[in-house]
Amino acid sequence: MSTQTADHTHIRATNLAAVLGYLRREAPCSRAAIATGTGLNKATVTSIVGDLLERRLVRETQQTQNHVGRPATLLVLDGSAYATIGLEVSARGLTALGCDTAGEQVLRWHRAGPGVDAGPAKTIASLANLARRAVTAVQSSGRQVLGITVGVPGLVNRDGAVVLAAGLGWRDVPMRAELVAAIGRPDIPVTVDNDASLGVLAEHLYGPHAGTGNLIRLTGDTGVGAGIIVDGKPLEGHLGYVGEIGHLRLVPDGPRCGCGRRGCLEALASLPAILARADVTDSDPQLQLEELIRRADAQETAVTQVLAEAGAYLGQGIAALVNILNPEVVLLGGAYALLADHLTPALDKALREATIAPDAGGCTVLASTLPDTATPLGATAQALTPLTRGHLPVR
Amino acid sequence: MSTQTADHTHIRATNLAAVLGYLRREAPCSRAAIATGTGLNKATVTSIVGDLLERRLVRETQQTQNHVGRPATLLVLDGSAYATIGLEVSARGLTALGCDTAGEQVLRWHRAGPGVDAGPAKTIASLANLARRAVTAVQSSGRQVLGITVGVPGLVNRDGAVVLAAGLGWRDVPMRAELVAAIGRPDIPVTVDNDASLGVLAEHLYGPHAGTGNLIRLTGDTGVGAGIIVDGKPLEGHLGYVGEIGHLRLVPDGPRCGCGRRGCLEALASLPAILARADVTDSDPQLQLEELIRRADAQETAVTQVLAEAGAYLGQGIAALVNILNPEVVLLGGAYALLADHLTPALDKALREATIAPDAGGCTVLASTLPDTATPLGATAQALTPLTRGHLPVR
């Protein structure tokens, strides 16, 4: 490919991404409004909108703008032709979410199990089965599946292998390769990513703090991970191993962690650690959490004390993030969101004590409003990355 | 200003920044090479180069390219018309560095004192005096001073006030405002920034690891701060309070830190902490460091043991950075660079033990090759920011 062609293709994709981004934020809107909003000239916008109409990514509405002059036809995103599938693996089970290209949910399934003890082979088989069924369901709604992304609570390398998922007891699992084989749809791209990174992506795109330049979200189910948005962009790092706040050592010679070390934040304040210390008796993960919340809400001292201790440890862990990254907002995800009232008094106190900047550097810690769905929702958004970067679906 | 005009000005600045950036990397080069390299059309490049020639930011050379066809006149950066001044305040004294716009040093001064006990008023008076003399020296070389930037070991807010500099014992010092008044040159912009942030900027622009996307540099004089480049850009955070790794608590109920807490990395492994534990007797800061290095190189057990302990604490602190940010390279600045041989065995061991990703996430820890000058050098680069963003100097 010549430089000229490469440049032209690149410019076309950049412009297409700008038009789609504008539509995502502002639709319904006219071609003229898109041209003004993106700084592109009208001929370019008309040509790009033509492509988008042809691929059924955009449609014209009867609705017209209420202003002086000739009425302009308005454009909206069309979700009827394509969707992506987001999956999550956690100690609480498997989740599948389907979203169309207009941002509407087209399916949402949760399946308990196969349980932390099942091991990677069984879990991947269950996940592939769920993915195949989700693909079939999306397709039978008339939509083409553009991609599948899976969130996992652990270190994921650039090939989609899980290097370590301490909370699941996984090490060196070539998850993407195995999933691709088990799903048996080589035409659909499959990506594997860290659950926390996907969770914060959902908050940054769709949550009440969407667009916040420096935003962190903690996962709170299997382990403790931080998804990090820095100066408006997801943090990636050298090899993608970012946000591993769960393995910050808070107590020298503290309790043993799933990673093999002692005194990690995760060993002190993860949901499994809290459940164990609060002597929760139920064996079903979902019912365990419900029991914990019920006993905490009843002000049972043994439980509120465990939660206050966990909150203080979380505050120390968040302080490390705040001292290094100075975020504006930290969101508590998963079970932490549901337990926030019991965690935050001790959490806020510890955070303020351990942060060098006054007033925790202007940071606010809040419960996520997407406690359960942020990871799979972020996964649907990530599977849409080629399109949001301006590359049209292959037909 | 109309949108059209704002856009046009913005595009002109972006293009000018692209041309200057290309020249900085590739000069000597022809106008045609700039056009190819930046993707701008030749008429635009010719017009921008005309502006740069007129402002004496660029000059033509007699040298021509050795290829078939008409010889092209080559362009190089011209440093004869403008310079910026970078200053550093540390426990070891005050430093001033002048760099012209071609990247050449035009002055470098170090002044011992006024000492940590002097307090902000006296230090700012000395610094303003140094800055005034530097301005005079740069001007008498025929160059206009485009800006002055000062690096301080502490939290600096957006107004250039020092919120806290634990190693200097400063709190809430309106440093920028006081410096501007004391320098008495309202025509020269003055900026105050964190020393570590400026240090890593110098490494990212000029050091042997220039361009590394995920790069961290630790300061090692007054306190312990981390300058952080993330995915190719300096980390800024919500209010600019980033990289405060020195106040990570490593030892609950450990030694008292300058910040008022206990067991911070800075209280365990900063240069002042090392000097105190090694019973260094000299009172002059520069001679203290020389004594420490001499005794360490002589394998004096009391000293090598203190340095091994400090190295292990630094490894734990760096592990927190690595677990959260997954950098490719961490550089040890200041005194740590000079002591690296004694620090790194224990440092590397602790880092590997405390990092969750295998092999420290691919991170290498190395001594900086700019141990003393990174902060003032980064300060000269930061003072050049308006120009590197494409805004021509006002005459």
Side-chain angles (χ1 to χ4, degrees):
Chain A
M1 200 193 289
S2 75
T3 311
Q4 182 101 30
T5 319
D7 278 0
H8 179 77
T9 309
H10 176 69
I11 289 166
R12 184 76 178 181
T14 305
N15 292 347
L16 200 145
V19 170
L20 268 181
Y22 187 83
L23 278 160
R24 207 167 290 281
R25 292 188 307 274
E26 306 288 342
C29 55
S30 67
R31 287 169 177 78
I34 296 172
T36 308
T38 58
L40 298 170
N41 70 51
K42 284 186 191 168
T44 303
V45 170
T46 301
S47 160
I48 287 171
V49 167
D51 278 0
L52 295 173
L53 284 166
E54 197 209 346
R55 304 289 176 119
R56 293 172 55 211
L57 284 158
V58 158
R59 61 188 169 78
E60 294 182 331
T61 66
Q62 300 305 321
Q63 199 186 351
T64 52
Q65 275 176 320
N66 182 19
H67 65 55
V68 180
R70 194 161 60 89
T73 307
L74 296 188
L75 301 163
V76 292
L77 290 176
D78 183 351
S80 64
Y82 311 94
T84 57
I85 294 169
L87 300 168
E88 181 182 17
V89 179
S90 87
R92 283 207 265 168
L94 308 177
T95 305
L97 201 69
C99 271
D100 70 24
T101 46
E104 294 297 312
Q105 269 188 30
V106 295
L107 75 84
R108 181 175 167 183
W109 295 338
H110 181 76
R111 181 181 281 187
V116 175
D117 306 328
K122 207 165 168 184
T123 303
I124 290 171
S126 292
L127 194 67
N129 189 30
L130 190 68
R132 272 198 310 273
R133 286 183 42 216
V135 168
T136 305
V138 166
Q139 285 178 336
S140 61
S141 78
R143 293 178 180 88
Q144 181 183 333
V145 177
L146 294 179
I148 298 171
T149 294
V150 188
V152 183
L155 297 170
V156 181
N157 73 16
R158 300 274 193 221
D159 297 326
V162 178
V163 174
L164 173 68
L168 299 173
W170 294 13
R171 249 176 221 279
D172 296 317
V173 177
M175 187 165 185
R176 201 189 77 84
E178 291 183 5
L179 262 180
V180 166
I183 294 172
R185 284 291 301 266
D187 57 317
I188 303 177
V190 175
T191 313
V192 180
D193 206 339
N194 174 265
D195 60 347
S197 298
L198 295 172
V200 80
L201 184 63
E203 303 279 4
H204 191 243
L205 291 170
Y206 309 117
H209 301 278
T212 299
N214 291 279
L215 179 67
I216 292 178
R217 183 186 195 275
L218 292 197
T219 58
D221 282 321
T222 310
V224 186
I228 301 171
I229 302 283
V230 149
D231 297 334
K233 287 193 178 164
L235 178 67
E236 295 189 8
H238 174 43
L239 301 172
Y241 304 142
V242 300
E244 290 295 334
I245 190 68
H247 303 283
L248 183 75
R249 189 172 69 185
L250 294 182
V251 179
D253 301 316
R256 177 76 68 184
C257 180
C259 72
R261 294 173 191 76
R262 286 187 170 280
C264 297
L265 172 60
E266 193 162 296
L268 295 160
S270 67
L271 179 60
I274 292 171
L275 291 169
R277 291 223 239 163
D279 287 322
V280 168
T281 50
D282 211 290
S283 64
D284 175 89
Q286 191 56 42
L287 297 179
Q288 283 176 343
L289 180 57
E290 286 170 18
E291 180 189 331
L292 184 72
I293 294 171
R294 194 176 58 247
R295 288 169 57 195
D297 287 346
Q299 301 295 332
E300 197 181 301
T301 318
V303 172
T304 54
Q305 205 165 317
V306 165
L307 290 172
E309 278 170 31
Y313 288 127
L314 282 171
Q316 287 180 46
I318 293 171
L321 293 166
V322 169
N323 280 328
I324 294 170
L325 296 164
N326 185 212
E328 187 176 354
V329 176
V330 174
L331 297 170
L332 302 175
Y336 295 147
L338 309 176
L339 297 164
D341 288 349
H342 303 286
L343 294 169
T344 42
L347 188 160
D348 275 332
K349 184 163 174 283
L351 170 62
R352 266 149 230 282
E353 279 172 5
T355 305
I356 184 80
D359 194 27
C363 176
T364 313
V365 180
L366 296 166
S368 167
T369 54
L370 306 166
D372 290 331
T373 53
T375 293
L377 184 60
T380 65
Q382 211 218 35
L384 209 62
T385 305
L387 181 61
T388 52
R389 290 197 180 146
H391 302 285
L392 289 172
V394 179
R395 283 169 301 185
Chain B
M1 202 192 288
S2 77
T3 311
Q4 182 102 30
T5 319
D7 279 359
H8 178 78
T9 309
H10 177 69
I11 289 168
R12 183 77 180 180
T14 305
N15 292 346
L16 199 144
V19 170
L20 268 181
Y22 187 83
L23 278 160
R24 207 167 291 282
R25 291 188 307 275
E26 306 288 343
C29 55
S30 67
R31 288 169 177 79
I34 296 171
T36 308
T38 58
L40 297 170
N41 69 50
K42 286 187 189 167
T44 304
V45 170
T46 300
S47 158
I48 287 172
V49 168
D51 278 1
L52 294 173
L53 284 166
E54 196 208 346
R55 302 291 175 118
R56 293 172 55 208
L57 284 158
V58 158
R59 61 188 168 80
E60 295 181 331
T61 66
Q62 300 305 321
Q63 199 184 351
T64 52
Q65 276 175 319
N66 182 21
H67 66 56
V68 181
R70 194 162 61 89
T73 305
L74 297 188
L75 300 162
V76 292
L77 290 175
D78 182 352
S80 64
Y82 310 94
T84 57
I85 294 168
L87 300 167
E88 181 182 16
V89 178
S90 86
R92 283 207 266 168
L94 308 178
T95 306
L97 201 69
C99 272
D100 71 24
T101 47
E104 295 296 312
Q105 271 189 28
V106 295
L107 74 84
R108 180 173 169 187
W109 294 338
H110 181 75
R111 182 181 279 187
V116 175
D117 306 327
K122 206 164 167 186
T123 303
I124 289 171
S126 292
L127 194 67
N129 189 29
L130 190 67
R132 271 197 312 271
R133 284 183 42 216
V135 169
T136 306
V138 166
Q139 285 178 334
S140 59
S141 78
R143 295 177 179 89
Q144 182 183 334
V145 177
L146 294 178
I148 299 171
T149 294
V150 188
V152 183
L155 297 169
V156 180
N157 74 14
R158 301 274 194 222
D159 297 327
V162 179
V163 174
L164 174 67
L168 299 174
W170 294 14
R171 251 176 219 278
D172 296 318
V173 177
M175 187 165 184
R176 201 189 78 83
E178 291 184 5
L179 262 180
V180 167
I183 294 172
R185 283 292 301 266
D187 56 318
I188 303 176
V190 175
T191 313
V192 180
D193 206 338
N194 174 265
D195 60 347
S197 298
L198 295 172
V200 79
L201 184 63
E203 302 279 4
H204 191 243
L205 290 170
Y206 309 116
H209 301 278
T212 299
N214 291 277
L215 178 68
I216 292 178
R217 181 186 197 276
L218 293 197
T219 57
D221 282 321
T222 310
V224 186
I228 301 171
I229 301 284
V230 149
D231 298 333
K233 285 190 179 167
L235 178 68
E236 295 190 5
H238 174 43
L239 300 173
Y241 304 142
V242 301
E244 289 294 335
I245 192 66
H247 303 282
L248 183 74
R249 190 173 69 185
L250 294 183
V251 179
D253 302 316
R256 178 74 69 185
C257 180
C259 73
R261 294 173 192 76
R262 286 188 171 278
C264 297
L265 171 59
E266 193 162 298
L268 296 159
S270 66
L271 179 61
I274 291 171
L275 291 170
R277 291 225 240 162
D279 287 323
V280 168
T281 49
D282 211 291
S283 64
D284 175 272
Q286 191 55 42
L287 297 180
Q288 284 177 343
L289 180 57
E290 286 170 18
E291 178 189 332
L292 185 72
I293 294 171
R294 194 177 57 245
R295 287 169 57 195
D297 288 346
Q299 301 297 331
E300 197 182 302
T301 319
V303 171
T304 54
Q305 203 165 319
V306 165
L307 290 173
E309 278 171 30
Y313 288 127
L314 282 171
Q316 288 179 46
I318 294 172
L321 292 166
V322 169
N323 280 327
I324 294 170
L325 296 165
N326 185 209
E328 187 176 354
V329 175
V330 174
L331 297 169
L332 302 175
Y336 295 147
L338 309 175
L339 297 164
D341 288 347
H342 303 286
L343 294 168
T344 42
L347 187 159
D348 275 331
K349 184 163 175 284
L351 170 62
R352 267 149 229 281
E353 279 172 6
T355 306
I356 184 79
D359 195 27
C363 176
T364 312
V365 180
L366 296 166
S368 166
T369 53
L370 305 166
D372 290 332
T373 52
T375 293
L377 185 60
T380 64
Q382 211 218 38
L384 209 62
T385 305
L387 181 61
T388 54
R389 291 197 179 144
H391 301 286
L392 290 172
V394 178
R395 282 170 302 186

